[in-house]
Amino acid sequence: MTREEAFTLCPSDSYVEIYGSQWLIVPFAPVAQPQFFVCTPGQRNAPAR
């Protein structure tokens, strides 16, 4: 896919980015992390020893 083809296929809620010599259409979407990556200061998830 060429840059121009990527831009014509790109919907308004997405953007175009080059990655590994290919044009990708990337949607604007919130990133959701798995719960085990979420850290709250002062909270301990590990059992006390």
Side-chain angles (χ1 to χ4, degrees):
M1 176 182 327
T2 66
R3 179 178 180 263
E4 289 74 23
E5 289 171 331
F7 274 108
T8 59
L9 295 173
C10 186
S12 61
D13 63 346
S14 302
Y15 67 97
V16 176
E17 181 176 297
I18 188 86
Y19 180 78
S21 72
Q22 290 185 322
W23 288 100
L24 301 178
I25 298 172
V26 183
F28 291 123
V31 175
Q33 294 192 77
Q35 188 60 36
F36 59 84
F37 282 126
V38 178
C39 177
T40 303
Q43 179 183 0
R44 290 188 59 147
N45 293 331
R49 292 184 185 200

